[in-house]
Amino acid sequence: ANFSFTDADWSEFEKQAGKDSLNLLNISAKEKMHVVNNIQANIARQVWRMEGFFEVLNVTDSGIKKALEVLGN
């Protein structure tokens, strides 16, 4: 819950990705959010296994959000 991926973290990630010929300089904000969310989910998987992975990944999943909305009504 307290983990954050800062702009400095993103800059370092961008730099490391560039070393592997991945250009992340021109990706959209939506794509960046998707990448950051997947990084967070994969870190959670290392710590809390698959339960942590899906708990983090599902926070921003539009299908999960819609299902919770429908179930809430």
Side-chain angles (χ1 to χ4, degrees), residues 33-34 36-42 44-45 49-69:
M33 185 182 75
H34 179 73
V36 168
N37 190 49
N38 275 282
I39 290 170
Q40 291 174 323
N42 280 290
R45 179 174 37 197
R49 307 286 182 229
M50 291 307 289
E51 293 84 8
F53 175 79
F54 287 113
E55 189 172 329
V56 171
L57 195 63
N58 289 343
V59 169
T60 59
D61 186 285
S62 59
I64 297 294
K65 285 181 180 180
K66 183 64 176 177
L68 290 172
E69 179 185 315

Side-chain angles (χ1 to χ4, degrees), residues 23-39:
N23 184 355
L24 300 176
L25 296 173
N26 297 319
I27 67 171
S28 69
K30 184 177 180 179
E31 291 169 323
K32 180 180 175 181
M33 185 182 75
H34 179 73
V35 171
V36 168
N37 190 49
N38 275 282
I39 290 170

Side-chain angles (χ1 to χ4, degrees), residues 10-24:
W10 178 258
S11 294
E12 184 61 30
F13 180 72
E14 217 171 39
K15 186 172 88 176
Q16 293 300 320
K19 290 180 181 179
D20 286 333
S21 301
L22 296 172
N23 184 355
L24 300 176

